[in-house]
Amino acid sequence: MKILIIGAEGQLGQDLCAVFAETEVHRAGRDRLDIVDAASAEALIVREIKPDLVINTAAAHNVPVCEQEPALAFAVNATGSRNLAVACKNAGARLVHVSTDYVFGDGGTKPYVESDLPQPLNVYAASKVAGEHLIASVLDDHLIVRTAALYGNAPCRAKGG
């Protein structure tokens, strides 16, 4: 199986690259792929790598920055996610997209399930749920993982390492 990890230089991307070290893994950080650029996504996924599986860990996730720059948040988290879904569809690849529990807002007292209604309370969360919907509208072969927190061996640069 050939795997492409988008956001490979980030906290989750680095750890996933290590997990899949014995598989044919291709890494794409910001220096290799700007997911906001649809032509770039198409070139890398469809013509260059042709992966079986794409794991998208890339995101504009610094919440205060997303609030100050909503266009950036939506460009990366919504439009960028759609660009990956289109490229995956054209390549016949499955997309695993990492999202966030922030799409549910505040105040949850029980674990969320897939059928719970999103109620994003900030720009970051709204841009992530928009990306989820755009992926689902384009690509049948996708999985969306909403996680509450990340931890692992790699540091989080957005939080100072």
Side-chain angles (χ1 to χ4, degrees):
M1 174 179 280
K2 192 185 303 186
I3 299 172
L4 171 61
I5 298 179
I6 309 291
E9 79 286 349
Q11 180 183 14
L12 179 58
Q14 288 181 50
D15 283 349
L16 284 173
C17 288
V19 167
F20 289 110
E22 308 226 354
T23 308
E24 184 179 348
V25 175
H26 297 263
R27 302 163 190 242
R30 277 185 248 168
D31 59 332
R32 188 169 184 197
L33 174 63
D34 175 3
I35 65 172
V36 175
D37 180 355
S40 178
E42 186 82 7
L44 183 69
I45 294 170
V46 177
R47 292 188 291 282
E48 184 180 333
I49 297 177
K50 301 174 188 149
D52 302 297
L53 175 66
V54 174
I55 303 174
N56 180 29
T57 71
H61 60 84
N62 185 312
V63 174
V65 171
C66 290
E67 290 298 314
Q68 294 170 355
E69 300 181 42
L72 171 67
F74 276 89
V76 174
N77 297 334
T79 304
S81 298
R82 182 188 182 282
N83 292 343
L84 294 176
V86 169
C88 285
K89 182 176 183 174
N90 293 339
R94 169 176 277 180
L95 175 62
V96 174
H97 177 74
V98 179
S99 190
T100 177
D101 69 330
Y102 278 41
V103 302
F104 294 117
D106 284 337
T109 58
K110 64 179 180 64
Y112 295 109
V113 297
E114 291 84 355
S115 59
D116 286 340
L117 183 64
Q119 298 179 41
L121 293 179
N122 58 29
V123 171
Y124 166 66
S127 68
K128 291 298 282 185
V129 79
E132 293 178 8
H133 287 292
L134 289 169
I135 289 168
S137 74
V138 169
L139 182 64
D140 291 331
D141 194 7
H142 72 276
L143 299 170
I144 295 171
V145 179
R146 293 173 174 158
T147 185
L150 295 178
Y151 63 93
N153 292 318
C156 177
R157 292 173 301 158
K159 295 179 181 174

